[in-house]
Each structure stands twice: as C-alpha cells, then as structure tokens.
Amino acid sequence: MPEGSRPPASGGKDSDPPRTVVYVSVLPPGGGIATWTAILFERGLPGGWQSRLVDSRVTTARREFEPGTLNPAELRRAVRILRLLWAELGTAALVHLNVGSFRWGLARDLLGVWLARLRGVPAVLHYHGNVGSLAGEGGTPLQRFLLRRAVRRASLNLVMNEPSRRYLETLVGSRGGAVVSLPNFFDERELASRPTADTASGPARVLFVANLTPAKGVLDVIEVARALPGVEFHLIGVAPDEMGSRLRAAPRNVRIHGPVARAALLRAYREAQLLLFPSREEGFPFAVLEAMALGLPVVATKVGAIPEMVEEGRGGFLCPPDPGSLSAAVRRILDDEPLRQTLGRFNREKALRLYAYPVVAEQLARLYDQLAARTPPARRARR
C-alpha cells in the first residue's frame, strides 16, 4: 500500500465527524516508536479521531548503531517524507511527528512543523527518547539550535519522562507550545492475560531485553552473571558486530538469544523471575513496561522514565550502574519468593492502572481535542 494512504483507524462513533491525525512515524519491524505506532493504528483513538501514516522508515544503508550523519541518501529521504506530509496536510486536523534518536532528523521534523504551520495545522512533536541526549548535552550547537526552534514552533511537545520535560521547558520559556509528559502504553489485551509463571523447579532466570550494547548495560549484565553463577541470564536483542568477542567471552550461565519472535519474547517474560535493565540512557522503555505488565519485578538504573515507572522497594530496585549493586539487588529478589511475588503484583497493577492503552489513548485524544479547539474557524471550514 502506498505511503500516506494507509487505511484510517478510528475509535470514535460512526456519527462523529472525521478528524484526521497524520503521523510521521514508522511501523514494525523497528524499536519503540514502531511498536507505539503499530498499537495505535491497530487500536484506534477515541473521540472520532482517525489516523493516517507518512512512513519515515530508514531506506538507506546505515550501520545499526552508528549515529546518523548527513549524506545525499538521507537528504533524499527527508525530501520524500516532507513531500508526502505536504500532500496529507490538505485534509489533516493535526500532524503528529514522532522524534527518535537520529539527531539530524530533528531538522526534518522542524521543517515538518513549519509546513504544518503554513497550512494552519497544529503540529505535535513527540520525543520518544531522552531529550537531553537527542540534541542537548551531547549534541552540537547546531543541533541544540534546531531543537530550540522546533520546541518553540510546535503546537505541543510530548515527552516521556520528567528530565525531558524539565529540559524542554527551559528551552520554551514564555514562547512556543506547551510541554506535556505522556507515558508509553502497552496493549493490555495481549499482556494482561499472560501472567508470569514461577519456575522454581529449575535454575532462576533473569531476563535482559534490549540491544546488546554497552549503552544498554549488557556488559554489566555479564558481570552480574559472573557474580551469580547459579542463575541463568537470558539476553534478547540485536548485537552489533563489534560486540561479538565480548559476548562470546560471557560466562556459561549467559544465554544469548539475539532478536526473537513476539511469541518467544512473551514466553521468556513468563519464564523469568525478574527483568534486569541496567541501561545508561532511556526514554520510557518498552521492556520495563512489558515486564511490569506481566508481573515481573525489575532491577534497573535511574535513567529516563524508569524512576517514575519502577517504585523503589515496591516494584523492584533502582541501582547505580555498577555490577556490585546490581548483583546485590538481583540476589535479594531471587532469595525471597514472597518479596518477588509482592513486587510483581505491584508492578502489574500499576501498569494496568496507568499505562494500559485505553488509559493513555484517552489522555492523548484529550490533548488532540484541546489543539483542535484552538484551530481558527476559517481553517476548520477549509477542511
């Protein structure tokens, strides 16, 4: 099916007038943004909102974990996306641009906001990572300039954690769109009906789900495994070529699975006693969210939204990124089955209460309603 022509998804009544959100985003296969988009398009939004897609997938050959760089192929890709967006603006009530970690994509998204403003369409910028690292503390002066311009020109800026919200509010000042924190969601129809099963009859299992890179904490996981030789550590995720020798040197109680099908991932969650997630940088990680929804305790680092998701001592333990602290937390949970069950139940209840799709989709639809209500009447009449 051609890009920009994907069938609409709607959660409203048939009698509601159609209101269309054009998403500049990607669908699976992919990471968190692709998962977010797939769930939204499958479930639809309440309030008569319909969804259309401008596919921003990468179409050029790039190394898996190499930061994006400007090159002719990327520029052609940006032009393609902006042309498709311009074609959709004539019937759009809103534009929602999902901002990932590709820093120069920020320039494209800024142009997308500008095009939407030319057509009188409110534009939402949705930052799925940690904004400070997107183009902030680790970025160049030009990238910080682009971020500042984008934030001030967007009608609404959505972030996934409190550090990102505070950072953007310093850029907005008294100008630009509002900054609102909105959590990730999960499909409760898929996960809520799959409680975890305790596998006390065999070795305890610790699960790690992320790209197998130092930034995600995989080297810490390996060191924790060395400290706990009687525990199985199951690592699920894509490994870049440069990690090959270090992963091969892992102890025998580490099982490296690579990327797996969805059914296998859900089975791994059910067979594990806890999720270990010592990442160095996150937005609102799906791995932690899904583990919580499936009733797993979590041992993780204090990055991104994780301190908002995992309550210390109630849903798991938050540690500094060092193997000693992580090992102690893992051992504490594995050695205390009543504690493990209590932590898991708390996480499951919290995930269903705060992060299930209907809960977050309702919040998103209300934000859309507020933006649409501020659209000038002349613009609404042209649609």
Side-chain angles (χ1 to χ4, degrees):
M1 184 171 292
E3 294 163 297
S5 303
R6 203 167 290 276
S10 174
K13 301 177 180 178
D14 293 340
S15 59
D16 291 338
R19 296 184 293 173
T20 301
V21 185
V22 175
Y23 292 90
V24 180
S25 192
V26 294
L27 289 172
I33 292 179
T35 301
W36 186 95
T37 308
I39 296 173
L40 185 143
F41 268 72
E42 180 184 351
R43 298 290 298 270
L45 287 169
W49 288 102
Q50 298 182 349
S51 306
R52 292 176 67 82
L53 178 70
V54 170
D55 195 341
S56 60
R57 69 189 185 279
V58 174
T59 57
T60 59
R62 279 197 286 134
R63 288 185 62 189
E64 183 74 22
F65 301 102
E66 185 178 24
T69 56
L70 281 177
N71 58 58
E74 290 290 352
L75 291 174
R76 288 193 296 271
R77 171 178 167 243
V79 170
R80 172 183 62 82
I81 293 167
L82 293 172
R83 288 179 62 186
L84 289 168
L85 174 60
W86 180 257
E88 293 284 349
L89 286 173
T91 56
L94 291 170
V95 171
H96 186 128
L97 300 102
N98 281 323
V99 182
S101 59
F102 177 51
R103 289 174 175 168
W104 288 114
L106 206 55
R108 181 204 68 214
D109 294 330
L110 175 57
L111 289 172
V113 171
W114 180 71
L115 291 178
R117 288 181 58 147
L118 281 180
R119 300 293 290 268
V121 179
V124 178
L125 284 176
H126 192 175
Y127 306 88
H128 285 256
N130 184 44
V131 179
S133 63
L134 177 68
E137 298 95 335
T140 66
L142 177 57
Q143 288 163 347
R144 287 192 289 272
F145 170 80
L146 291 172
L147 178 61
R148 188 178 302 109
R149 301 284 284 189
V151 171
R152 292 180 176 179
R153 277 157 177 73
S155 305
L156 174 66
N157 297 277
L158 294 179
V159 297
M160 291 191 163
N161 53 62
E162 280 302 297
S164 292
R165 184 187 63 79
R166 291 192 296 268
Y167 182 81
L168 283 193
E169 284 183 342
T170 64
L171 299 183
V172 171
S174 59
R175 296 172 288 176
V179 180
V180 174
S181 184
L182 185 77
N184 258 336
F185 46 66
F186 69 96
D187 190 341
E188 80 291 348
R189 303 175 308 177
E190 177 190 34
L191 298 185
S193 61
R194 300 174 182 267
T196 59
D198 197 289
T199 56
S201 58
R205 291 189 174 202
V206 172
L207 183 64
F208 171 82
V209 180
N211 291 327
L212 307 186
T213 64
K216 292 294 185 179
V218 71
L219 298 180
D220 288 328
V221 174
I222 291 173
E223 292 307 309
V224 173
R226 293 188 197 281
L228 302 173
V231 178
E232 289 185 1
F233 288 76
H234 292 259
L235 282 53
I236 295 177
V238 177
D241 293 341
E242 58 267 26
M243 289 297 296
S245 60
R246 304 178 85 169
L247 295 175
R248 286 191 294 272
R252 297 178 64 181
N253 59 328
V254 173
R255 310 284 192 270
I256 298 173
H257 299 275
V260 300
R262 182 65 176 168
L265 176 60
L266 292 175
R267 185 167 59 251
Y269 279 122
R270 292 197 302 271
E271 293 174 348
Q273 274 73 56
L274 66 88
L275 178 78
L276 176 57
F277 199 81
S279 181
R280 300 300 196 270
E281 182 180 303
E282 291 296 326
F284 198 107
F286 267 101
V288 173
L289 178 55
E290 292 184 337
M292 291 175 63
L294 288 168
L296 282 180
V298 177
V299 173
T301 43
K302 299 178 182 180
V303 296
I306 292 177
E308 302 162 48
M309 302 169 72
V310 180
E311 296 188 32
E312 176 71 25
R314 302 185 73 188
F317 298 107
L318 302 177
C319 304
D322 72 79
S325 299
L326 294 165
S327 299
V330 170
R331 183 182 290 109
R332 180 178 176 185
I333 293 175
L334 294 182
D335 289 347
D336 190 336
E337 182 177 349
L339 173 64
R340 184 165 69 249
Q341 297 296 335
T342 299
L343 298 175
R345 282 194 298 270
F346 180 87
N347 279 344
R348 181 175 165 84
E349 186 278 332
K350 180 176 181 178
L352 289 169
R353 176 168 45 88
L354 296 181
Y355 308 136
Y357 182 77
V359 177
V360 182
E362 182 66 34
Q363 297 174 43
L364 182 60
R366 283 200 301 268
L367 292 170
Y368 287 166
D369 289 339
Q370 293 167 12
L371 288 178
R374 296 202 298 266
T375 304
R379 166 62 192 167
R380 291 200 297 268
R382 285 199 298 272
R383 284 202 301 274

